Every structure is written in C-alpha cells, then in structure tokens.
Amino acid sequence: MASEDITKLAESLAKTKVGGGQLSFKGQSLKLNTAEDAEEVIKQIEEFDGLEALRLEGNTVGVEAAKVIAKALEKKSELKRCHWSDMFTGRLRSEIPPALISLGDALITAGAQLVELDLSDNAFGPDGVRGFEALLKSPACYTLQELKLNNCGMGIGGGKILAAALKECHRKSSAQGKPLALKIFVAGRNRLENDGATALAEAFGIIGTLEEVHMPQNGINHPGITALAQAFAINSLLRVINLNDNTFTEKGAVAMAETLKSLRQIEVINFGDCLVRSKGAVAIADAVKEGLHKLKELNLSFCEIKRDAALTVAEAIEDKAELEKLDLNGNCLGEEGCEQLQEILEGFNMASVLGSLSDDEGEEEDDEEEEEEEEEEEEEEEEEEQQQLKERGQGEQDSLTPKKIIESQDSTPVPSPPVDVATFLAFPSPEKLLRLGPKCSVLIAQQTDTSDVEKVVTAVLRISSVFKDEAPVKTAVQETTDALMRKAFTSATFNSDAFVTRLLIHMGLLKSEEKIKTVPSLYGILMTLNHMVQQDYFPKSLAPVLTAFVTKPNRALDSCSFARHMLLQTLHQL
C-alpha cells in the first residue's frame, strides 16, 4: 500500500466512532481489498475490549480483507450486533459469498450470541444467502432478535434457502431449551414472489414471536399474501406489518383482514399500493372496527379504493384514540368523496390524522369495466397458480406450522386454454410466454411492427415484465427479446436513438411532457437490458446513454439495486 493511501486510510479511521461497546466505521468509504488494506481496521477491532456492535456500513470489503477481519473477530465472544449493510459496493457477485462465509465462521468460532444481523443493501442474490446460511443455523443465531435483509436481490431461491435456515435454527435452538425468538424481520425489495413468501410464511408460523415484519416490493400476489396472513395469525405479538407495493387483490385483502381480527398489538398497517380495492378495504375496515385499539397508522393509499369503501374505512377508526395517521391518498374518491371523508373525520375530532389527498384519482363510474378487469386478473392468477402446482407436481401443500399455510388445492389437472401473441402482450405472464411454445420468439418478432418505435418499446417491456431467475422463463425472455431486437436494430428504418429515449421515458428515468404510465417494477427490464447490451446486434453507441441514466439517483432504481448493479457492471465492461 502506498504511503499516501495509508495516510488517507488513517485519516478515515480517525473518524471512527467508539462508545457503548460499539466500534463504527460507518460511511467511511474504505476500500478494503487485501489483508494489508485492512490492517488498521483489524488493529482497532483487536484492541477494542468488550466489543458488542461492529458497524461496517458504507465501505467495500473484498474476500482477502474479509478473511483477516474475520480472524480478528474470532476472539470477540461478546459481539451481539453486526451492522453490515452496504459493505460490498463495486464487488463482483462471486466475491460476496466467500466473504460472508469467512465472517460468519468467525462469529461461530468466537461463540458470539447475536441479537441483530443487518446485511441490507448488499446485492448478493440467491448465492449470497448461502454465504450466511451456516451462520443462521449455528448457535451464534439462536439468540437472534432482528434480521434485516432489505434490498439484497434474494429472489425466490434465496427466500427458500433463508426460510429453511430459519426453521433449522428454530429446531436446533428449541432442542437446547431456548427456541429462536425473532422479533424483527426485514426483507423488502427482494423479488421473493409467491413461492419465496410462502416458504418464509412457514418459518414465521414456526417461530411465532415476530413483532415487526417488513416485506414491501416483493412481487407477492394473493396466494403468498394469504400464506403470510395465516402465519401472522400465529404471531400474536405483531405490532408492525409493512407489505407496501405487493398485490393483494380482494382475496389477499380478505385473508389479511381475517388475521387482523386476531391480532391485539397491531400499531402500524402499511398496505399502500397493494391493490386491495374496495371490497378488500371494507374487509380491512371491519377488522379495524372490531379491535386494533393500539393502531397508530393505517396506510391504504393507491389501492384503487372507491368513495363508499374509503368512507367505510374512515368510519371504522372512530374510537381509535392512538391513531396518528390515516393515508387514503391516490384512491378514487372524487372531489365530493374527499370532502365527505374530511367531514367524517372532523365529526370524530380526528381531522388531523388524515394525510394528503392530493393524488386522488377522481371518482370512477365504469363499474362494469372494472369488474371485468378484476375477473380477468383473477382468472389469470388462478391459471398461473394451477400451472405452478402442476410444475411442482403437487395438488395440495401442507405447512409445518400449527395451521395450514396454503389452502388445499384441487389436484385435478385443468386444461390450459390456448394462448396467442396478442393475448400474451395484452396480459403478460411467465406461464403464457412458455405456452406460446418454442417458436414464441419468432412469433412475437413477426407480429411486432418494428417500424413503430413505440410498439417495439411496449413489446420489450411486456416481455421483460415476466422475467424470472428460473431457467425456462429466463431463457424464453432472452430469446424472445433477441429475436425482436435483432430484427429492429438491423432494420434500416428503425430509429435506435428514439427507441432508447422512449424506453427511458417508460422506465420513469426520463421526463416527458406526455402523461405516460411508467412500468411498476424495473427489475425485469434491467435484467433484460443486461442481456441485450451484450449481444452483437446492440449498438454500442447507446451504452453511454444507458449508463448515464441508470447511474442517476432514482427511487425506482433504488428498489432494484441488484439488477441495476449487474447492468452497470456490464455496461462498464463494454
């Protein structure tokens, strides 16, 4: 290490905060690649008597540095809190599991008894979960109370590995007479989907001690929501449920409402942007009215709730003396409905708890059209569930919890209706794409007018929206995208610059004067672009434009940090 680098590191370490058993290197942007780079960090760890909390957030730790830091931790038996979020910035995905294994093994060797483990904002994917799987199953985590894995890109596979590790930890710790008593679980922005959520629901049902669950933005639909609801019913101490930006629909909302009736400690319910709709909102309102006397916050914003249902929610909070916030913004009340809502709350002397209604969508009148849309969505969900069950070779799934996590499914095979390109593009789903058959890539390319940039952008977004890490779907998405974009980019009439511009607008990364609905999640398109930019048909001149916009700060991109990291890494290598 050069002398100037040592000086710079020493200056950073001078800012290290020590106190209350905590050693903090938080936010110092230390680049610890080698054992030599980590010498000063190791020295401070070794010299710290009674180390109870170690903060490494906001630095970047390589495999070799992790090994020597781990060696220093082997003697720190009093360590209880590991604040290790955002500590692999710029690292290859393959570097993270071995680094985590080294650190985890050190904690096991030390005989530490952890209370908190925070690995949030580390884009390690499913393989990364393997990196701390052994730690979770070890005596070091029998005492764990807080597990935070926000924004890690775990996916379905990672969720299942995590769930199995938690169940094993509970089994082993129970055998020792002190069962795992996890209180806080955080795993937002991880693409867990139904299967990942259901696996975790089984673990939650076994644990039974949860007080806070935060799982926003995970692509969970009503089967996963129902599984979680049934598991939550077993966790009677729950105070906070945050499932923001998943898709309940009426089925999921009704199941969750039924669970809420049995929970007496609930303080915060965040079901914002969860598409509970009017019937679901009424069911939740009934649960609120029957009990939940400790409720402090109720968020049902952006859920397509109509006026009458919203007013029912307002009426349900009449005797909730501890309520501090009611959020019904972004629903369909209309001007008159907003006024009625405010009047009801004023009558309860609770006008101050109502949040802004500035994004109200206005009152809708097309009841029949909405009902048809709801029926179509439910039919698609049922269709997809049946296909998933057939693929797994099961008609009924029982949980290991005291209750069933999944309701019995009819094992009788249901014939799948034929699918054409138009149907898939109108209502895309992984199952529909696969049912188009081996010629799906050719069919979609043939039936998309590549002279129309907007149609190409729409098609790419629809295809990428069904992206999954599972091989059959991933391959189908990539092959279909390749066929379409090869045809487009090799066409003399195709405007590549206009394509990228329109794509960025639809992704919400570039502003437009037009009112355009942006895609709800960027994960699929980012992962598809990561593949696309590596192909010979992709004009390399477009790479700097993509890099510039994907690098800019953006909330939508923040929720897909793993996919964003993968794409930027690929773009920089072009």
Side-chain angles (χ1 to χ4, degrees):
M1 183 184 282
S3 59
E4 58 268 23
D5 292 333
I6 294 173
T7 303
K8 186 177 180 181
L9 179 59
E11 289 174 355
S12 293
L13 292 172
K15 301 174 185 176
T16 301
K17 294 180 181 178
V18 178
Q22 174 176 285
L23 178 61
S24 175
F25 300 96
K26 182 178 179 180
Q28 293 183 19
S29 302
L30 302 176
K31 295 181 180 179
L32 307 178
N33 299 316
T34 65
E36 188 181 5
D37 294 340
E39 282 180 358
E40 287 295 326
V41 173
I42 294 164
K43 182 182 177 183
Q44 294 208 35
I45 291 173
E46 289 177 339
E47 293 177 354
F48 197 110
D49 292 329
L51 180 63
E52 294 184 6
L54 178 62
R55 306 196 78 106
L56 292 173
E57 312 105 303
N59 300 291
T60 179
V61 181
V63 176
E64 293 306 313
K67 285 181 181 178
V68 291
I69 291 172
K71 195 70 180 172
L73 291 175
E74 287 180 357
K75 297 177 182 178
K76 300 298 176 182
S77 61
E78 296 177 25
L79 188 61
K80 292 181 174 62
R81 298 184 182 274
C82 297
H83 302 281
W84 294 350
S85 64
D86 189 23
M87 59 178 270
F88 296 111
T89 304
R91 298 290 167 188
L92 295 174
R93 184 171 165 180
S94 59
E95 292 181 86
I96 301 176
L100 288 172
I101 288 170
S102 296
L103 294 166
D105 287 349
L107 298 176
I108 296 170
T109 302
Q113 294 185 313
L114 295 185
V115 172
E116 179 178 1
L117 177 61
D118 186 355
L119 292 170
S120 298
D121 300 316
N122 290 311
F124 47 58
D127 295 339
V129 185
R130 293 284 187 200
F132 60 93
E133 180 184 15
L135 173 63
L136 280 180
K137 293 178 179 180
S138 76
C141 285
Y142 290 178
T143 51
L144 195 65
Q145 294 180 14
E146 301 179 30
L147 179 59
K148 300 174 182 178
L149 299 165
N150 203 53
N151 199 26
C152 291
M154 290 191 291
I156 294 171
K160 288 181 176 180
I161 296 167
L162 175 62
L166 288 172
K167 288 189 286 187
E168 182 69 1
C169 180
H170 187 273
R171 185 187 69 78
K172 288 182 174 180
S173 58
S174 296
Q176 297 292 320
K178 293 183 178 179
L180 171 68
L182 192 66
K183 294 181 179 180
I184 297 174
F185 180 83
V186 181
R189 300 175 178 177
N190 271 294
R191 299 288 296 181
L192 294 169
E193 301 184 24
N194 289 335
D195 286 352
T198 298
L200 285 166
E202 290 189 8
F204 296 163
I206 292 170
I207 293 167
T209 56
L210 289 166
E211 295 180 11
E212 294 186 24
V213 175
H214 302 263
M215 294 174 67
Q217 295 184 6
N218 269 299
I220 308 170
N221 298 327
H222 76 78
I225 296 298
T226 300
L228 287 171
Q230 292 172 342
F232 291 167
I234 300 162
N235 289 262
S236 60
L237 299 176
L238 266 174
R239 294 183 294 103
V240 178
I241 302 176
N242 176 7
L243 294 174
N244 189 286
D245 200 5
N246 289 291
T247 308
F248 283 42
T249 64
E250 182 189 344
K251 288 183 180 179
V254 169
M256 194 61 71
E258 196 61 32
T259 285
L260 290 174
K261 291 177 182 179
S262 66
L263 298 176
R264 301 299 178 204
Q265 307 301 319
I266 288 290
E267 296 177 7
V268 177
I269 298 171
N270 186 344
F271 297 159
D273 205 10
C274 282
L275 203 66
V276 305
R277 294 203 174 105
S278 295
K279 291 179 182 177
V282 170
I284 292 169
D286 287 344
V288 171
K289 191 170 186 176
E290 285 186 23
L292 306 189
H293 295 294
K294 295 184 179 181
L295 189 64
K296 293 181 179 179
E297 180 178 335
L298 176 59
N299 184 346
L300 293 175
S301 60
F302 298 93
C303 281
E304 294 190 7
I305 300 170
K306 294 190 176 182
R307 180 181 63 179
D308 289 349
L311 298 181
T312 301
V313 172
E315 290 166 352
I317 67 166
E318 180 178 2
D319 62 345
K320 304 298 174 269
E322 296 188 31
L323 192 72
E324 297 170 1
K325 184 177 181 181
L326 172 64
D327 193 345
L328 288 168
N329 198 18
N331 287 299
C332 311
L333 281 68
E335 187 176 342
E336 185 179 341
C338 289
E339 290 175 359
Q340 289 177 317
L341 182 65
Q342 289 165 335
E343 286 173 5
I344 288 172
L345 293 175
E346 284 171 3
F348 301 154
N349 198 25
M350 296 177 72
S352 62
V353 306
L354 182 63
S356 169
L357 297 172
S358 60
D359 292 319
D360 186 73
E361 294 288 339
E363 193 166 7
E364 293 184 358
E365 297 178 2
D366 299 326
D367 291 351
E368 289 183 14
E369 185 178 330
E370 182 181 311
E371 284 174 13
E372 285 175 10
E373 286 178 5
E374 288 181 24
E375 285 172 9
E376 283 175 1
E377 285 179 17
E378 287 176 8
E379 283 171 10
E380 286 169 32
E381 287 172 359
E382 297 284 352
E383 199 175 280
E384 193 169 335
E385 284 172 56
Q386 289 292 340
Q387 184 65 21
Q388 287 172 351
L389 286 170
K390 284 196 289 180
E391 287 170 0
R392 289 197 295 263
Q394 64 182 51
E396 180 175 315
Q397 179 180 348
D398 291 331
S399 74
L400 299 177
T401 66
K403 293 185 178 182
K404 281 188 178 181
I405 293 299
I406 296 293
E407 295 292 336
S408 297
Q409 301 282 344
D410 185 355
S411 59
T412 306
V414 178
S416 298
V419 172
D420 55 22
V421 171
T423 302
F424 166 73
L425 291 176
F427 302 101
S429 72
E431 187 262 339
K432 285 198 185 87
L433 181 62
L434 294 177
R435 271 171 43 211
L436 281 171
K439 293 185 178 180
C440 64
S441 57
V442 176
L443 291 170
I444 291 177
Q446 285 177 344
Q447 295 184 39
T448 302
D449 181 5
T450 52
S451 65
D452 188 329
V453 168
E454 190 67 23
K455 287 182 179 177
V456 175
V457 169
T458 300
V460 169
L461 290 172
R462 295 291 173 87
I463 296 164
S464 65
S465 71
V466 306
F467 180 93
K468 286 190 174 186
D469 291 316
E470 286 87 343
V473 178
K474 181 178 180 180
T475 301
V477 168
Q478 292 177 347
E479 289 179 352
T480 306
T481 303
D482 286 343
L484 174 61
M485 296 316 301
R486 189 180 298 279
K487 176 186 174 186
F489 283 126
T490 54
S491 169
T493 59
F494 188 68
N495 189 328
S496 300
D497 292 334
F499 167 77
V500 171
T501 300
R502 297 301 299 173
L503 183 63
L504 290 169
I505 289 171
H506 281 276
M507 290 172 69
L509 306 183
L510 181 62
K511 289 184 179 179
S512 170
E513 292 181 1
E514 305 172 59
K515 189 175 181 181
I516 290 178
K517 188 175 182 180
T518 57
V519 292
S521 170
L522 295 182
Y523 182 81
I525 185 60
L526 289 173
M527 294 300 285
T528 304
L529 281 170
N530 183 53
H531 168 79
M532 190 194 303
V533 299
Q534 299 177 62
Q535 309 311 307
D536 56 6
Y537 61 74
F538 185 82
K540 298 300 183 278
S541 59
L542 299 179
V545 180
L546 282 176
T547 302
F549 281 93
V550 176
T551 305
K552 285 183 177 180
N554 187 287
R555 286 181 64 188
L557 287 171
D558 290 342
S559 67
C560 304
S561 66
F562 170 69
R564 180 190 203 178
H565 171 75
M566 293 285 287
L567 176 56
L568 286 174
Q569 190 174 344
T570 302
L571 288 169
H572 286 311
Q573 291 170 355
L574 292 179

